[in-house]
């Protein structure tokens, strides 16, 4: 009787053969030149049937990273634009805003011969158009707007008093109007910081005070026990300069004396150049001085030969000092020249005051002839506008929105849009109890600070300040850490005093010699005189204590 073969026995037998095949595959793996065999797997289902299938073990070729396959083909798909898109693209810019930031007509490249120069001009025009467009688009980020006084029919804004303005503004704006009664140590001079947050007062009789005028927090208050002629903030609100009777002293915000500058003696006016870290002074003896406060070095000091200097202001556009004189001449000075870089005859009589607006476009001057004239500082032309006042202007001050403050004795008047058009009436008028010492518009605030002979008054002038500020340039709400970082950044970006010129754009240009200079240099080369040459030999020889000089074959003893 034959032996019956079961399905399980057959599967086991096939398993045995399969293990032999596996061993043979392992040995063939190490042998060279032998073709790999395909691996087979055998499985059984629930019914016990044996199922075999083959598996291909060929490995895919390795490809190095960063190397694309040569067989890869690029597939380009041409997309048709959507005729009715949901978002059509960037919103158009308002033409009025583009006109506001426009930088004038572009250059015409028709007269340029070389193509490379034409290409450069076109690229420059494209960059200017792009910057204008971006500046116009950034207007949407400036959320604050300028407020103004609007009068009803039959009224003028000149009739409005400070009490009426206080009754119609919010509590925050009303708190910015205050008066300090200081009857003993006047007359006073005042100065705001660049961010408009801190106020510095200096009395003629020696009283000096510095405080945060918004929160009314006092930084320091002391008496120098001698006369004070002018006060000035330095690069930060932590340092201030006081022009005293003999010399200039530097104090910190706690009232501690840091330096005594004996080289600056009998100073009457001071100005600080923030981008150059220079303290510019004018003395009663007619000397102009520039001191670098970052290293304590005197950059330049010389006699202007103008006598006593009582009027001085800086042009923020080019950092040139404008000095007024009793002859009616305004002279502009740079630390790199001993002579004025420009002179302007502004009045036929003696001058009493002058000031340059924060943009460096216009200059206002006042004289004893009761006239106020507006000049174009960029072209040194004018006067653009001319006015006649009731009395001579003792002090002038421009705001960030081109409003002009005029002090005449104890009367303060503010004129709106007086540079571009002729103004018939004052925008605001306020009468003080005592004569005005000096005044200044507070940056980024609708406030006019007035220092008088018996104190200080803060007046509200709606529409005078810039409503939007650049936190990287001047931040009224900066913290202590931000102030430290801003100081370090300002020191790293300090401009050298050699770059102070009348036209700051000339620094970026190339000094190309003119045709006349080339011809003169060529003439000098053609008619060069030969230099005188001494052909006598300088060789010396010592012979028995006597020096002999050789000249060719001759010997001299």
């Amino acid at each position: 009787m034959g032996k019956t073969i079961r399905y399980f026995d057959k599967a086991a037998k096939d398993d045995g053969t399969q293990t032999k095949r596996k061993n043979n595959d392992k040995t063939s793996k190490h042998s060279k030149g032998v073709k790999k065999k395909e691996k087979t797997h055998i499985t059984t289902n629930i019914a016990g049937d044996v199922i075999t299938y083959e598996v291909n073990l060929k490995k895919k070729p390795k490809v190095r990273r960063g190397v694309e396959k040569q067989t890869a083909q690029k597939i380009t798909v041409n997309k048709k634009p959507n005729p009715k898109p949901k978002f059509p693209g960037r919103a158009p810019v308002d033409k009025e805003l583009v006109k506001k930031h426009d930088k004038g007509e572009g250059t015409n490249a028709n007269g340029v011969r070389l193509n490379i120069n034409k290409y450069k001009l076109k690229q420059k025009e494209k960059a200017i158009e792009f910057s204008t467009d971006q500046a116009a688009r950034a207007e949407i980020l400036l959320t604050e707007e300028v407020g103004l006084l609007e009068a009803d029919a039959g009224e003028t804004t000149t009739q409005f008093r400070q009490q009426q303005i206080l009754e119609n503004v919010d509590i925050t704006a009303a708190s910015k109007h205050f008066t300090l009664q200081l009857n003993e140590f006047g007359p006073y001079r005042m100065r705001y910081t660049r961010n408009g947050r801190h106020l510095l007062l200096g009395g003629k009789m020696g009283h000096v005070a510095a405080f945060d005028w918004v929160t009314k927090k006092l930084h320091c208050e002391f008496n120098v026990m001698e006369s004070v002629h002018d006060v000035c903030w330095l690069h930060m609100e932590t340092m201030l300069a006081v022009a005293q009777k003999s010399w200039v002293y530097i104090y910190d915000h706690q009232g501690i004396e840091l330096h005594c500058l004996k080289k600056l003696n009998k100073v009457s006016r001071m100005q600080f150049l923030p981008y150059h870290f220079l303290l510019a002074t004018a003395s009663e003896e007619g000397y102009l001085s520039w001191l670098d406060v970052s290293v304590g070095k005197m950059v330049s000091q010389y006699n202007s030969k103008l006598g006593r200097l009582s009027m001085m202001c800086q042009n923020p556009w080019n950092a040139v000092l404008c000095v007024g004189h009793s002859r009616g001449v305004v002279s502009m000075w740079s630390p790199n020249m001993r002579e004025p870089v420009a002179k302007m005859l502004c009045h036929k009589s003696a001058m009493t005051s002058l000031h340059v607006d924060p943009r460096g476009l216009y200059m206002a001057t006042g004289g004893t002839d009761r006239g106020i004239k507006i000049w174009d500082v960029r072209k040194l032309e004018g006067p653009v506008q001319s006015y006649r006042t009731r009395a001579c202007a003792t002090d002038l001050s421009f705001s960030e929105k081109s409003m002009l403050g005029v002090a005449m004795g104890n009367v303060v008047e503010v004129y709106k849009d007086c540079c571009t058009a002729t103004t018939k009436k004052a925008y605001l008028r306020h009468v003080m109890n005592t004569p005005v010492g000096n005044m200044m518009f507070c940056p980024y605030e609708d406030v006019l600070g007035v220092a008088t002979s018996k104190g200080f008054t803060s007046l509200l002038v709606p529409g005078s300040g810039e409503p939007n500020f650049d936190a990287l340039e001047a931040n009224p709400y900066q913290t202590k850490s931000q102030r430290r970082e801003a100081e370090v950044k300002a020191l790293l970006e300090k401009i050298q005093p050699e770059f102070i010129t009348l036209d700051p754009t000339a620094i970026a240009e190339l000094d190309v010699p003119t045709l006349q200079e080339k011809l003169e240099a060529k003439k000098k080369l053609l008619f060069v005189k030969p230099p005188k040459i001494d052909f006598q030999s300088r060789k010396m020889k010592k012979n028995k204590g006597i020096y002999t000089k050789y000249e060719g074959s001759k010997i001299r003893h």
Side-chain angles (χ1 to χ4, degrees):
M1 191 172 179
K3 190 175 181 181
T4 60
I5 300 174
R6 300 178 180 178
Y7 289 107
F8 297 104
D9 296 338
K10 187 177 180 181
K13 188 176 181 180
D14 291 339
D15 263 347
T17 58
Q18 187 67 23
T19 53
K20 289 180 181 179
R21 288 177 184 174
K22 287 181 181 179
N23 294 331
N24 293 335
D25 290 341
K26 289 180 181 179
T27 55
S28 64
K29 212 181 259 187
H30 298 286
S31 60
K32 294 181 180 180
V34 181
K35 196 173 183 181
K36 291 184 179 180
K37 297 181 180 180
E38 294 179 351
K39 187 176 180 180
T40 58
H41 285 270
I42 302 172
T43 58
T44 58
N45 57 5
I46 299 173
D49 299 329
V50 179
I51 302 171
T52 62
Y53 59 92
E54 296 180 355
V55 180
N56 190 5
L57 297 177
K58 290 182 180 180
K59 295 183 179 180
K60 295 180 181 179
K62 294 183 178 180
V63 182
R64 294 182 180 179
R65 293 181 179 177
V67 180
E68 298 180 354
K69 296 181 182 180
Q70 297 180 357
T71 58
Q73 296 181 356
K74 294 183 179 179
I75 302 173
T76 58
V77 179
N78 295 327
K79 295 182 179 181
K80 295 182 179 180
N82 190 1
K84 295 181 180 180
K86 187 176 181 180
F87 302 101
R90 302 187 72 180
V93 189
D94 190 2
K95 293 182 179 180
E96 294 183 358
L97 295 178
V98 175
K99 187 177 180 180
K100 176 183 176 182
H101 297 278
D102 190 15
K103 298 180 181 179
E105 296 181 359
T107 55
N108 190 5
N110 294 332
V112 182
R113 295 181 180 179
L114 299 179
N115 294 331
I116 182 65
N117 293 335
K118 288 184 179 180
Y119 176 76
K120 289 181 179 179
L121 285 176
K122 289 181 181 178
Q123 293 297 322
K124 186 177 180 181
E125 291 299 324
K126 287 182 180 180
I128 292 173
E129 290 179 3
F130 178 76
S131 64
T132 304
D133 182 72
Q134 292 299 317
R137 289 184 182 277
E139 287 280 344
I140 195 173
L141 301 176
L142 307 178
T143 57
E144 300 293 335
E145 296 181 356
V146 181
L148 294 172
L149 289 177
E150 294 181 358
D152 295 335
E155 294 182 349
T156 59
T157 56
T158 314
Q159 301 174 356
F160 297 153
R161 298 291 177 257
Q162 288 292 310
Q163 189 63 31
Q164 297 176 351
I165 297 175
L166 290 175
E167 293 174 356
N168 293 276
V169 296
D170 57 327
I171 301 175
T172 306
S175 63
K176 297 176 183 178
H177 173 75
F178 61 93
T179 302
L180 300 177
Q181 294 291 341
L182 306 170
N183 301 326
E184 298 180 3
F185 303 104
Y188 279 86
R189 292 190 63 84
M190 52 81 61
R191 197 70 62 91
Y192 285 108
T193 54
R194 289 181 62 211
N195 57 7
R197 189 62 187 264
H198 304 274
L199 176 64
L200 178 62
L201 294 175
K204 183 75 173 179
M205 306 304 292
H207 180 225
V208 178
F211 60 96
D212 185 344
W213 70 272
V214 178
T215 60
K216 310 301 186 294
K217 180 182 178 182
L218 182 66
H219 296 322
C220 64
E221 185 179 12
F222 54 93
N223 198 310
V224 298
M225 304 304 292
E226 59 182 6
S227 62
V228 173
H229 300 276
D230 199 7
V231 290
C232 180
W233 290 104
L234 297 187
H235 58 283
M236 288 290 171
E237 61 269 14
T238 55
M239 297 179 67
L240 54 100
V242 180
Q244 297 178 198
K245 179 180 179 181
S246 299
W247 304 305
V248 175
Y249 290 82
I250 307 295
Y251 299 92
D252 66 350
H253 65 287
Q254 297 179 351
I256 301 173
E257 181 182 335
L258 301 178
H259 303 285
C260 175
L261 307 175
K262 293 187 177 182
K263 291 184 178 180
L264 305 177
N265 58 333
K266 296 184 179 180
V267 171
S268 58
R269 293 293 178 265
M270 294 189 299
Q271 289 286 333
F272 183 74
L273 310 180
Y275 300 105
H276 304 78
F277 279 79
L278 293 179
L279 178 63
T281 60
S283 68
E284 296 179 356
E285 298 176 350
Y287 279 85
L288 291 172
S289 306
W290 286 266
L291 177 71
D292 192 341
V293 298
S294 61
V295 294
K297 178 183 176 182
M298 183 68 70
V299 175
S300 183
Q301 186 178 30
Y302 46 80
N303 191 356
S304 63
K305 300 177 183 179
L306 296 176
R308 186 179 184 274
L309 302 177
S310 59
M311 293 168 287
M312 186 180 69
C313 69
Q314 62 165 311
N315 188 349
W317 185 56
N318 52 16
V320 172
L321 295 182
C322 300
V323 179
H325 194 255
S326 58
R327 297 177 182 176
V329 178
V330 175
S331 54
M332 302 179 184
W333 298 84
S334 168
N336 305 316
M337 296 179 61
R338 287 186 170 270
E339 297 295 329
V341 294
K343 284 185 178 181
M344 293 179 64
L345 179 60
C346 298
H347 294 268
K348 295 181 181 179
S349 61
M351 289 183 58
T352 56
S353 58
L354 80 158
H355 194 260
V356 181
D357 72 326
R359 297 179 298 172
L361 302 180
Y362 300 101
M363 179 180 66
T365 59
T368 55
D369 56 353
R370 297 185 302 163
I372 297 176
K373 296 182 180 181
I374 310 297
W375 306 84
D376 191 346
V377 188
R378 296 169 297 175
K379 300 180 180 179
L380 301 179
E381 294 179 354
V384 181
Q385 302 292 337
S386 181
Y387 300 95
R388 182 73 61 178
T389 56
R390 298 178 181 179
C392 61
T394 57
D395 194 23
L396 299 171
S397 180
F398 272 107
S399 72
E400 294 175 330
K401 287 299 181 181
S402 299
M403 287 190 181
L404 179 62
V406 182
M408 299 171 291
N410 64 334
V411 179
V412 176
E413 291 184 350
V414 180
Y415 293 88
K416 175 190 170 187
D417 298 333
C418 60
C419 299
T420 56
T422 303
T423 304
K424 296 182 179 180
K425 293 184 179 181
Y427 177 64
L428 278 178
R429 180 183 290 118
H430 186 77
V431 180
M432 313 296 295
N433 296 327
T434 54
V436 177
N438 78 317
M439 61 182 181
M440 180 180 177
F441 281 95
C442 182
Y444 310 107
E445 294 287 351
D446 292 343
V447 170
L448 174 62
V450 181
T452 62
S453 59
K454 290 188 178 181
F456 172 81
T457 303
S458 178
L459 303 177
L460 295 182
V461 183
S464 63
E466 174 64 39
N468 301 284
F469 62 90
D470 186 1
L472 298 178
E473 177 69 17
N475 187 6
Y477 309 103
Q478 66 179 358
T479 60
K480 186 180 293 185
S481 60
Q482 289 175 344
R483 185 187 67 202
R484 292 172 180 171
E485 291 184 4
E487 185 175 6
V488 173
K489 185 179 179 182
L491 284 170
L492 292 174
E493 296 177 351
K494 185 181 77 169
I495 304 174
Q496 296 300 322
E498 289 80 9
F499 294 126
I500 299 178
T501 58
L502 189 63
D503 185 11
T505 59
I507 299 173
E509 298 178 357
L510 295 176
D511 187 11
V512 181
T514 60
L515 180 61
Q516 183 179 359
E517 293 176 353
K518 290 180 180 179
L519 292 174
E520 290 179 356
K522 194 173 182 180
K523 287 180 180 179
K524 289 180 180 179
L525 290 175
L526 293 176
F527 302 99
V528 172
K529 293 182 179 180
K532 294 182 179 180
I533 302 174
D534 186 11
F535 294 98
Q536 188 177 2
S537 177
R538 293 175 180 268
K539 294 183 180 180
M540 310 291 289
K541 185 176 180 181
K542 190 174 182 181
N543 186 11
K544 296 181 182 181
I546 301 173
Y547 291 96
T548 57
K549 186 181 292 186
Y550 293 89
E551 184 182 359
S553 60
K554 298 179 181 180
I555 301 176
R556 295 180 181 178
H557 295 283

